[in-house]
């Protein structure tokens, strides 16, 4: 049998590419558990979307997310060694229970944003985090507004709604990822 005898199922290439990108970003210690959790989460999300909308085109949904153009990105160069406050800056510490701290540690430990931090830096970042409870249907982040915080979802499901030609469209749903 040659490779031309096989038919690649629709969506397989894109699904494997997205999985590979997430695998490389997260660098899990056990790729098999990561793969099982990743695809189980995708399956649950697909089932939720089917229940909500009755119609689901997996390739179209992934393509929208992957190739969507950003409205704008603004950045400013930052040189920490030139920061006047530097080590003398007052550290921000928001009190939290041990249980809250453990939940945050579990939530951020697999995030590529936190992988490069040493233990002291991670503690400093976790100290600066604070809990924000939101109401059902409350807008947490609004397209076009300046970003104000880094959010960790502890529980619940959040719709990602973008403006598509003047019409709000739900393009994705986020829920907590439990890594133990």
């Amino acid at each position: 049998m040659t490779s031309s005898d096989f038919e690649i199922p629709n969506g397989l290439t894109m699904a494997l590419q997205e999985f590979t990108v997430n695998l490389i970003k997260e660098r899990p210690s056990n790729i098999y558990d990561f793969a099982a959790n990743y695809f189980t989460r995708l399956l649950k999300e697909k089932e939720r979307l089917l229940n909500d909308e009755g119609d689901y085109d997996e390739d179209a949904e992934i393509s929208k997310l992957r190739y969507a153009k950003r409205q704008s990105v603004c950045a400013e160069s930052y040189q920490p060694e030139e920061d006047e406050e530097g080590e003398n800056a007052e550290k921000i510490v928001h009190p939290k229970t041990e249980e809250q701290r453990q939940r945050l540690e579990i939530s951020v430990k697999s995030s590529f944003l936190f992988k490069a931090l040493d233990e002291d830096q991670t503690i400093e970042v976790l100290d600066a985090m604070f809990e924000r409870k939101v109401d059902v249907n409350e807008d947490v982040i609004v397209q076009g507004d300046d970003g104000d915080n880094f959010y960790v979802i502890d529980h619940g499901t959040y719709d990602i709604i973008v403006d598509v030609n003047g019409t709000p469209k739900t393009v994705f749903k986020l829920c907590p990822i439990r890594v133990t």
Side-chain angles (χ1 to χ4, degrees), residues 89-96 123-130:
E90 187 174 325
K91 308 260 189 264
I92 298 170
V93 178
H94 292 282
K96 52 191 69 58
I123 289 170
E124 189 173 332
V125 169
L126 293 178
D127 283 345
M129 290 182 166
F130 58 93

Side-chain angles (χ1 to χ4, degrees), residues 45-136:
E45 185 60 33
K46 180 179 177 179
E47 290 169 354
R48 258 187 291 220
L49 286 172
L50 279 170
N51 290 337
D52 291 347
E53 298 175 6
D55 181 279
Y56 180 78
D57 181 349
E58 189 169 19
D59 289 341
E61 292 299 321
I62 292 173
S63 290
K64 284 180 207 167
L65 293 173
R66 188 166 187 210
Y67 299 109
K69 291 184 180 179
R70 292 182 178 171
Q71 295 295 323
S72 66
V73 175
C74 298
E76 180 177 317
S77 175
Y78 175 65
Q79 302 297 328
E81 59 278 353
E82 295 174 12
D83 191 339
E84 292 178 16
E85 293 178 359
E87 294 296 319
N88 299 327
E90 187 174 325
K91 308 260 189 264
I92 298 170
V93 178
H94 292 282
K96 52 191 69 58
T97 66
E98 187 58 33
E99 189 253 342
Q100 286 174 316
R101 180 171 288 284
Q102 287 175 349
R103 286 192 338 253
L104 281 171
E105 286 174 358
I106 289 168
S107 294
V108 303
K109 77 178 181 181
S110 64
S111 170
F112 74 96
L113 294 172
F114 295 89
K115 288 236 186 249
L117 300 180
D118 64 30
E119 186 176 347
D120 290 339
Q121 291 169 322
T122 301
I123 289 170
E124 189 173 332
V125 169
L126 293 178
D127 283 345
M129 290 182 166
F130 58 93
E131 185 170 28
R132 176 176 173 214
K133 296 184 186 264
V134 297
D135 296 323
V136 173

Side-chain angles (χ1 to χ4, degrees), residues 25-37:
K25 283 182 184 176
E26 299 294 336
R27 296 186 215 169
S29 58
N30 184 320
I31 62 171
Y32 301 106
D33 287 344
F34 179 83
N37 291 333

